[in-house]
Amino acid sequence: GPSVIHGAACEPEVGDLVDCLNAMGARIEGKDSPTLRIEGVERLGGAEHHVIPDRIEAGTYLMAGAITGSRVRVEGIVPAHLWAPLDAMQRAGYAFEIGKDWIEIAPRRQRPLPVDVTTQPYPGFPTDLQAQMMALMSLADGTSVITDRIYPDRYMHLPELLRLGARIRRQGATAIIEGVASLSGAPVTASDLRASAALVLAGLVAKGTTSVHRVYHIDRGYERIDEALAGLGGRIERLRED
């Protein structure tokens, strides 16, 4: 019989799941909308489906290019899935070239401009890039404000960025970041997946050595991120923890 899901997320990953299930014989309507109508079928069959690229991973590598002032090109992605993060980085002074399935960030020697960001459901700025954006804004030439409306308590990375010399204070669901000219390396501890990525990005530009502990978090969302960043010229290596 029929089922209706109200308030469904409109993220591309949900639409991708709808495409996969429909290819297997499901009957689902309402893709990319907050209401999904499902007509039950007796069984599903086999199908071939190509999973969409990871927009959060792509956004993280673009922010790695931004925070280091480097030219980084990310290929095999869907640029339309990243309009909100690209808009925030453009307001911070970064320029991009965009192709059918790639984005390239241009190098920038100046410190980023301060930007206010509020996380929102798709197509707004994703909460999964909030920590990385905070790392970038910690080096901005001015004061930025980041508000997380999706996960108001998602600030476990904040005290760790303070260890690196960032100037951030929290007021409820909002973080106020006073940009500094540089960060300094220090031992930090990752508390979750995106916090790990933010600390790695900050460590790429911090003076001295930054040790990020409990990196098993980052491996849940990034495939060999240390090797990818090292291939781009980052001085990063993975050490075995006892």
Side-chain angles (χ1 to χ4, degrees), residues 67-110:
I67 200 169
T68 58
S70 308
R71 183 180 300 277
V72 172
R73 181 172 175 139
V74 184
E75 300 178 342
I77 62 176
V78 181
H81 293 170
L82 289 162
W83 289 148
L86 290 179
D87 174 72
M89 285 190 281
Q90 286 177 328
R91 287 187 283 125
Y94 296 96
F96 299 90
E97 290 185 31
I98 301 175
K100 180 180 179 181
D101 63 350
W102 57 268
I103 301 174
E104 182 175 301
I105 184 170
R108 175 182 169 86
R109 294 186 178 183
Q110 299 91 344

Side-chain angles (χ1 to χ4, degrees), residues 24-192:
M24 297 171 69
R27 297 174 60 186
I28 306 172
E29 298 179 348
K31 176 186 171 183
D32 300 329
S33 80
T35 302
L36 297 174
R37 294 176 175 82
I38 306 157
E39 184 67 35
V41 297
E42 290 188 3
R43 63 180 59 86
L44 298 177
E48 182 174 329
H49 179 77
H50 295 277
V51 178
I52 61 173
D54 188 330
R55 60 195 169 97
I56 303 303
E57 186 175 19
T60 299
Y61 286 122
L62 290 172
M63 288 190 184
I67 200 169
T68 58
S70 308
R71 183 180 300 277
V72 172
R73 181 172 175 139
V74 184
E75 300 178 342
I77 62 176
V78 181
H81 293 170
L82 289 162
W83 289 148
L86 290 179
D87 174 72
M89 285 190 281
Q90 286 177 328
R91 287 187 283 125
Y94 296 96
F96 299 90
E97 290 185 31
I98 301 175
K100 180 180 179 181
D101 63 350
W102 57 268
I103 301 174
E104 182 175 301
I105 184 170
R108 175 182 169 86
R109 294 186 178 183
Q110 299 91 344
R111 292 167 61 187
L113 302 174
V115 173
D116 293 350
V117 170
T118 299
T119 66
Q120 298 174 333
Y122 185 84
F125 192 95
T127 181
D128 284 303
L129 284 174
Q130 176 258 109
Q132 299 90 312
M133 190 68 184
M134 186 178 296
L136 178 61
M137 289 298 96
S138 68
L139 293 168
D141 188 9
T143 301
S144 305
V145 177
I146 294 180
T147 303
D148 199 324
R149 299 294 188 194
I150 308 300
Y151 295 111
D153 290 325
R154 195 175 198 171
Y155 288 117
M156 297 295 289
H157 48 281
L158 194 157
E160 302 305 308
L161 289 172
L162 295 180
R163 295 176 184 271
L164 299 176
R167 298 180 63 185
I168 309 170
R169 66 184 188 275
R170 179 183 173 185
Q171 295 180 352
T174 297
I176 302 169
I177 306 108
E178 298 179 27
V180 296
S182 62
L183 300 174
S184 299
V188 292
T189 300
S191 57
D192 59 60

Side-chain angles (χ1 to χ4, degrees), residues 60-61 197 200 218 222-230 236 238:
T60 299
Y61 286 122
V200 168
I218 205 169
Y222 301 89
E223 185 176 7
R224 299 190 294 273
I225 189 174
D226 49 323
E227 296 179 18
L229 292 173
I236 178 174
R238 184 184 296 255

